[in-house]
Amino acid sequence: MTTLYLDNNATTMVAPEVLEAMLPYLKDHYGNPSSMHSFGGHVARKIAAAREETANLIGADPEEIIFTSCGTESDNTAIRSALASMPDRRHIVTSRVEHPAVKVLCEHLSKEGCRITEIAVDGQGRLDMEQYEKSLSKDTAVVSLMWANNETGVIFPVKTAAQMARERGILFHTDAVQAAGKIPIDMKRTAIDMLSFSGHKLHAPKGIGVLYVRRGTKFSPFLIGGHQERGRRGGTESVAGIIALGKACSLAAANVNLENSAVKALRDRLEQTILQRISDTKINGNTKERLPNTTNISFEFVEGEGILLMMNEYGICASSGSACTSGSLQPSHVLRAMGVPFTMAHGSIRFSLSIYNTEAEIDFVIEKLVPIIDRLRRLSPYWDDVKQSCVLH
Amino acid sequence: MWDYSDKVRDHFLNPRNVGEIENPDGVAEVGSIACGDMLKIAFKLDENKRIRDAKFKTFGCASAIASASALTEMLKGLTVEEAEKITNQDIAEYLGGLPDAKMHCSVLGREALEKAVANYRGLSPVMLEGTLICECFGVTDKEIERAVRENDLSTVDDVTHYTKAGGGCGKCHTAIQEIIDRVRIQPMKKKQAMTNLQKIKLIEETLDREIRPLLKHDGGDIELVDIIDNRVLVAKRGTCAACQAFPQTLKEVVEKKLHEMVSPDLVVEEVVQ
């Protein structure tokens, strides 16, 4: 059975060009970039080139790029560094819908004495900007807001939010793990101080992350050791990962228009056809300010795990915000923060596309999904009630 | 991804006995959509008082669907007395096991069965008794006690896996731990030979805490008259006095509970005062 992959917000396929670029650095060119011989020196030059490619994707300077091991490490480094550089401020502003890499870290920091404000979102997942502005205080050290939400794809106005923070002397970090490569980013035109993203979300392998730190921003390292990354992140470089990331970033820069045209068209086709052909469905999240590749759809009266496992029988990969798939017993914190009713939250499915998806794949998914939802609804006691009340009226 | 057995997968992809029964002999609905799963089961008896047909409908994950499908298969051909002996462990075993975090699906099956049997007997449901411990999922101390006792659970995580209690905000974790500690001490006490005084006290406690609230729900009651060796003598009160099914209630509710909580040697007898 072939895999039909619509779960690109979870992780992505390593692009063939990326794999090709990194392989020599797992085989022949194993030198340490810090070494004094030219065998290592060659590797150091490749890393410098990859740093430039990475910086170009987000309109940054190469020296503003720190390579890390993953998005979570970047998020942790950024927020802890901000706290370290502002020792007399102990307030963090974030949102209710952050990824656990930020959300759980903040919960942890609250036990260490920090005060946390989680900004609410509305029913469409949009940030409450009024609450945001009010929450910024003289005690606020750092704001950490995601650029785009991993579950719904909803984009936050981080540029405006960053400007408001800067005016008050507050550091601003954004988790751009889902945004990088999917929408254009130009750090020269923002007031964002720090930005995190991860290689495996844009067709590089897992195990490589990026932290952008604006020139002039006070920085305190998370991993302390050698002089690597100009002393800002100790530890021998993940050479092959960095080279892969560089290649993936230059591909992403070239493909960002494709994301916003072809991928968006496929996503819209999937979404519109599902809404037309399957009753009692609803899109979660604002559809105007949204990533071009993501749709989060609720199928009322059915539970998400069943949908995923039945799609799995056809090799279709997607995700769900239902409780049963998380193992946490409660539906996704993002959907709950948006006030999505339980009946809807348990039956939510996220499809996230990439440039490698085709129209034929989208049509295949629709063809299979219609009978799957029908079958599961026939099992559901709530579906009867709805049908019955329809007859009575 | 959950590590489901082939049997779970089969019962999920090809669920047996989906639907409803017209004029069922026993029917029940447990769970709610807020909790993430809900199960409706019904059964019909044949002329020999054996379950001829059982059907279900469920809102829930793959293991909830599989558990309900398995349960309805297991029920067929059994008498009600045989059926009510099915435990959540039996359902899980029938399916070749369930992941720990999914055991609550089998518990939901057992709860639905119990409620359907109660419905068949014309008794009010047993489940809603007790004090609410977990507000997020509406789980009472009685349900937690029972899950701990029947499945030999020892941690809060276990209890969450089996009953969902504690799986939400987490405020009730301390209360759940207290219940575990309390329940797990009891069997140890029981193993040591009870003195007569201890036995009488435990019988009284069980009657007051576990049995009489059930009967009172239907306007009935019993009074403990005497305990002679292993004979527990009770008198009927309230609506029980006029109830034709009282001897049956005495055996199946009162005696059964005393066997479970105090000693399997006890015999409950009615005395007319």
Side-chain angles (χ1 to χ4, degrees):
Chain A
M1 189 167 53
T2 50
T3 297
L4 203 164
Y5 196 75
L6 299 180
D7 203 12
N8 288 279
N9 286 10
T11 194
T12 58
M13 179 185 97
V14 175
E17 300 93 324
V18 168
L19 184 66
E20 199 186 332
M22 76 185 287
L23 274 180
Y25 298 87
L26 291 170
K27 293 202 285 193
D28 305 329
H29 303 294
Y30 55 81
N32 187 326
S34 300
S35 296
M36 277 303 120
H37 41 68
S38 55
F39 186 61
H42 163 76
V43 175
R45 277 194 299 281
K46 282 298 286 190
I47 286 185
R51 196 181 303 278
E52 200 163 328
E53 287 175 301
T54 305
N56 285 344
L57 177 67
I58 57 168
D61 287 334
E63 54 270 33
E64 292 175 317
I65 299 296
I66 301 171
F67 292 120
T68 66
S69 66
C70 58
T72 299
E73 186 194 323
S74 301
D75 289 330
N76 272 255
T77 306
I79 293 170
R80 285 197 178 273
S81 166
L83 289 171
S85 60
M86 297 206 181
D88 51 347
R89 297 185 181 198
R90 277 297 164 266
H91 179 221
I92 303 172
V93 174
T94 180
S95 84
R96 287 181 61 189
V97 296
E98 295 298 310
H99 186 276
V102 170
K103 190 175 171 57
V104 179
L105 170 67
C106 287
E107 284 161 12
H108 180 82
L109 290 169
S110 79
K111 287 180 199 141
E112 288 181 12
C114 290
R115 185 164 63 88
I116 313 293
T117 303
E118 286 188 353
I119 308 299
V121 295
D122 69 6
Q124 296 189 32
R126 290 174 301 191
L127 199 69
D128 182 343
M129 289 302 280
E130 209 172 300
Q131 190 200 356
Y132 170 68
E133 184 161 16
K134 278 186 198 148
S135 74
L136 301 175
S137 74
K138 287 200 166 67
D139 187 40
T140 310
V142 60
V143 173
S144 186
L145 291 172
M146 64 203 323
W147 198 311
N149 187 272
N150 49 314
E151 293 188 29
T152 60
V154 171
I155 295 168
F156 278 169
V158 283
K159 285 187 225 170
T160 314
Q163 191 56 43
M164 287 157 75
R166 173 172 287 182
E167 284 160 10
R168 291 162 178 80
I170 298 165
L171 286 171
F172 191 95
H173 166 254
T174 183
D175 176 341
V177 165
Q178 296 296 342
K182 291 177 194 148
I183 52 174
I185 294 177
D186 184 359
M187 294 309 284
K188 293 208 168 50
R189 302 170 76 120
T190 79
I192 296 166
D193 300 299
M194 291 179 281
L195 173 146
S196 300
F197 72 97
S198 176
H200 77 104
K201 308 284 192 193
L202 39 78
H203 305 291
K206 293 146 194 74
I208 183 74
V210 176
L211 175 61
Y212 158 94
V213 180
R214 184 176 295 280
R215 185 182 288 123
T217 307
K218 270 196 189 169
F219 184 79
S220 167
F222 189 49
L223 282 191
I224 295 166
H227 60 276
Q228 293 91 349
E229 302 299 296
R230 300 200 299 149
R232 293 176 298 176
R233 201 261 188 189
T236 302
E237 297 86 342
S238 169
V239 171
I242 290 171
I243 290 164
L245 178 74
K247 185 70 187 171
C249 284
S250 64
L251 288 174
N255 287 332
V256 73
N257 286 334
L258 208 58
E259 290 275 353
N260 290 277
S261 53
V263 176
K264 184 175 184 293
L266 285 182
R267 189 274 313 269
D268 291 345
R269 181 188 180 92
L270 176 69
E271 188 172 273
Q272 289 312 316
T273 322
I274 288 173
L275 289 181
Q276 275 164 24
R277 293 195 46 194
I278 306 176
S279 70
D280 302 275
T281 50
K282 191 179 161 286
I283 306 298
N284 294 312
N286 181 266
T287 52
K288 287 196 186 76
E289 291 298 317
R290 187 169 55 149
L291 292 177
N293 79 318
T294 308
T295 176
N296 188 311
I297 307 180
S298 279
F299 299 89
E300 202 156 6
F301 315 112
V302 287
E303 197 282 326
E305 188 194 288
I307 305 173
L308 288 185
L309 290 181
M310 284 201 175
M311 290 200 294
N312 186 56
E313 291 294 305
Y314 300 106
I316 302 168
C317 307
S319 293
S320 169
S322 93
C324 289
T325 53
S326 67
S328 75
L329 293 179
Q330 288 199 326
S332 116
H333 71 283
V334 176
L335 299 182
R336 275 186 288 144
M338 288 162 61
V340 174
F342 278 116
T343 48
M344 282 293 195
H346 284 299
S348 71
I349 299 290
R350 176 191 72 187
F351 296 101
S352 46
L353 284 60
S354 80
I355 54 164
Y356 296 102
N357 290 123
T358 64
E359 203 170 282
E361 286 182 325
I362 298 303
D363 292 347
F364 180 82
V365 172
I366 295 162
E367 182 198 317
K368 296 303 175 197
L369 190 60
V370 173
I372 285 173
I373 300 298
D374 186 53
R375 224 176 123 185
L376 286 169
R377 280 182 175 167
R378 280 169 201 275
L379 287 175
S380 170
Y382 296 105
W383 187 239
D384 287 346
D385 296 345
V386 176
K387 286 286 156 199
Q388 223 129 50
S389 62
C390 291
V391 174
L392 289 175
H393 292 128
Chain B
M1 193 170 175
W2 300 110
D3 192 10
Y4 285 133
S5 71
D6 287 346
K7 204 136 184 216
V8 172
R9 229 178 119 239
D10 175 39
H11 275 266
F12 161 64
L13 291 172
N14 312 294
R16 282 68 150 174
N17 313 312
V18 177
E20 296 189 46
I21 294 179
E22 256 184 65
N23 305 319
D25 289 309
V27 64
E29 202 177 291
V30 290
S32 79
I33 208 156
C35 298
D37 36 25
M38 190 269 220
L39 171 62
K40 204 168 165 181
I41 70 163
F43 63 81
K44 183 104 189 147
L45 301 176
D46 63 15
E47 57 280 8
N48 301 317
K49 296 278 174 198
R50 287 189 176 273
I51 295 173
R52 188 183 65 209
D53 199 9
K55 297 253 190 227
F56 80 94
K57 285 217 164 180
T58 187
F59 170 90
C61 57
S63 50
I65 293 170
S67 295
S69 169
L71 173 63
T72 48
E73 283 288 276
M74 292 163 81
L75 285 178
K76 287 186 190 172
L78 300 185
T79 62
V80 173
E81 290 69 33
E82 289 164 347
E84 68 182 336
K85 292 203 179 81
I86 294 175
T87 65
N88 71 288
Q89 292 289 356
D90 296 334
I91 300 171
E93 269 167 39
Y94 182 91
L95 287 167
L98 283 171
D100 275 352
K102 295 289 191 174
M103 283 304 288
H104 60 84
C105 296
S106 68
V107 174
L108 194 74
R110 195 259 298 145
E111 282 177 1
L113 170 63
E114 233 163 55
K115 207 169 160 186
V117 168
N119 170 263
Y120 162 70
R121 295 213 170 106
L123 294 169
S124 55
V126 188
M127 258 74 72
L128 298 172
E129 301 295 331
T131 320
L132 195 64
I133 298 290
C134 169
E135 287 177 22
C136 298
F137 290 102
V139 189
T140 65
D141 56 348
K142 292 277 177 289
E143 290 168 79
I144 296 170
E145 274 173 22
R146 185 155 175 201
V148 170
R149 205 181 310 122
E150 290 182 354
N151 298 286
D152 194 25
L153 308 181
S154 57
T155 67
V156 174
D157 270 358
D158 284 344
V159 170
T160 306
H161 291 157
Y162 279 72
T163 66
K164 292 194 168 190
C169 67
K171 271 195 294 199
C172 60
H173 284 185
T174 317
I176 294 174
Q177 189 59 55
E178 281 168 14
I179 295 173
I180 296 170
D181 296 342
R182 190 168 74 218
V183 175
R184 288 181 69 84
I185 290 166
Q186 274 181 8
M188 280 154 61
K189 270 193 197 159
K190 249 189 270 174
K191 272 180 202 150
Q192 301 159 0
M194 260 186 288
T195 64
N196 260 334
L197 198 63
Q198 283 171 331
K199 187 165 78 181
I200 293 168
K201 255 189 145 167
L202 196 55
I203 291 171
E204 275 181 333
E205 251 179 52
T206 308
L207 280 172
D208 287 345
R209 279 178 45 197
E210 305 272 339
I211 299 168
R212 295 181 58 215
L214 277 180
L215 303 174
K216 279 182 181 165
H217 206 272
D218 288 330
D221 201 0
I222 53 172
E223 191 183 316
L224 180 63
V225 178
D226 203 355
I227 299 168
I228 306 166
D229 294 330
N230 280 327
R231 292 167 60 214
V232 182
L233 308 182
V234 298
K236 51 188 179 185
R237 296 279 180 265
T239 51
C240 284
C243 175
Q244 292 196 337
F246 185 69
Q248 207 181 342
T249 308
L250 218 51
K251 278 277 161 222
E252 281 162 15
V253 179
V254 182
E255 196 172 278
K256 207 173 141 194
K257 202 63 178 181
L258 288 173
H259 284 180
E260 186 190 322
M261 304 294 289
V262 188
S263 155
D265 305 324
L266 296 177
V267 181
V268 181
E269 292 172 24
E270 185 197 340
V271 288
V272 184
Q273 285 182 305

